[in-house]
Amino acid sequence: MSGERGEAQSPRSKHLNVLLGAVVLTGLALGAVSCTTTVPGNPVTAHTTSNRANAKPGQQHAQHLGDLDPLPDPTTQGAPFDPCSIVHWSDFPEGARDAKQPRPTRERVDVSKFGARCTFEATKPTRSNPNSTVLVASVAWFKPRQLTPGASANPPSIDHPYAGKPGWRKEETLDGVHSCISYVVLAGANIAAVGVVNTRYPDVPPCSISDTLAGTVAQRVP
């Protein structure tokens, strides 16, 4: 996803933007927004400089910020868990476990809103549209006092416990795409959240995925 505006959205980018729009109302930017920026100069691919010799002076390119400034493991900065490693593809519900197990992406976040976020994504290309279906599951950590807990403070939501810990769940449908976010309150007023949109595995509801992963986080984190 280039991040440029004004172009027709692919189904993949539409689903990601729906997830972002659904959750930003509660201060949680869970959408898997691409971490790229356009900078002047010679093109440099994400992980190699082999194309420098063929580059045209002054040409612009999308350069991945994470390659220039890698994001640290949030547990080294006080997080009770790392959103990229607290769950794995094997923890997803049966029927929603991507066989390729793509590596999750550590996302840049607005630290004034929450502490860390990691995105699991699986797409199924088709001949007519290379990004026709997608599963996006974003796992996030809120620092204490960054989000008021409870369904009543985050409408429209319902209270929903996870592995004996208090939590709540929020469902929304925007532009025909259903999203579900499961929140669990951890020790020390920390909050974990799992937001999901899923058209990749139509037999598995988004809330089944978010509830399963939130319950796994609740079991593994005090």
Side-chain angles (χ1 to χ4, degrees), residues 50-62:
S50 61
N51 288 339
R52 285 181 183 269
N54 298 323
K56 296 179 180 180
Q59 186 174 355
Q60 292 186 336
H61 69 287

Side-chain angles (χ1 to χ4, degrees), residues 59-113:
Q59 186 174 355
Q60 292 186 336
H61 69 287
Q63 193 168 50
H64 290 261
L65 295 178
D67 297 323
L68 301 176
D69 184 18
L71 297 173
D73 180 336
T75 59
T76 64
Q77 301 180 335
F81 66 94
D82 180 355
C84 285
S85 62
I86 189 63
V87 295
H88 310 280
W89 281 107
S90 58
D91 296 314
F92 281 61
E94 186 175 356
R97 298 169 186 166
D98 191 81
K100 296 182 179 179
Q101 299 191 1
R103 181 180 177 181
T105 301
R106 196 180 303 281
E107 306 286 353
R108 292 190 179 276
V109 300
D110 182 346
V111 295
S112 68
K113 293 182 178 179

Side-chain angles (χ1 to χ4, degrees), residues 1-193:
M1 191 164 56
S2 67
E4 295 180 0
R5 297 181 183 273
E7 299 180 358
Q9 289 186 344
S10 68
R12 173 180 178 272
S13 62
K14 175 183 176 181
H15 297 329
L16 300 183
N17 288 338
V18 165
L19 179 57
L20 174 62
V23 298
V24 75
L25 298 177
T26 63
L28 173 58
L30 274 177
V33 180
S34 176
C35 248
T36 63
T37 185
T38 301
V39 297
N42 296 331
V44 180
T45 57
H47 300 289
T48 180
T49 58
S50 61
N51 288 339
R52 285 181 183 269
N54 298 323
K56 296 179 180 180
Q59 186 174 355
Q60 292 186 336
H61 69 287
Q63 193 168 50
H64 290 261
L65 295 178
D67 297 323
L68 301 176
D69 184 18
L71 297 173
D73 180 336
T75 59
T76 64
Q77 301 180 335
F81 66 94
D82 180 355
C84 285
S85 62
I86 189 63
V87 295
H88 310 280
W89 281 107
S90 58
D91 296 314
F92 281 61
E94 186 175 356
R97 298 169 186 166
D98 191 81
K100 296 182 179 179
Q101 299 191 1
R103 181 180 177 181
T105 301
R106 196 180 303 281
E107 306 286 353
R108 292 190 179 276
V109 300
D110 182 346
V111 295
S112 68
K113 293 182 178 179
F114 56 99
R117 176 169 59 86
C118 194
T119 300
F120 294 74
E121 180 180 344
T123 59
K124 181 182 180 181
T126 66
R127 183 173 299 178
S128 60
N129 191 320
N131 292 307
S132 60
T133 60
V134 63
L135 162 64
V136 179
S138 285
V139 183
W141 161 56
F142 284 94
K143 299 177 183 178
R145 297 180 297 279
Q146 284 188 322
L147 180 64
T148 302
S152 60
N154 299 279
S157 301
I158 61 170
D159 289 315
H160 191 298
Y162 295 97
K165 294 181 173 65
W168 71 100
R169 184 174 71 195
K170 183 173 184 177
E171 296 182 66
E172 287 194 327
T173 300
L174 298 175
D175 294 335
V177 180
H178 186 58
S179 66
C180 192
I181 313 167
S182 301
Y183 302 82
V184 57
V185 181
L186 305 172
N190 291 283
I191 294 176

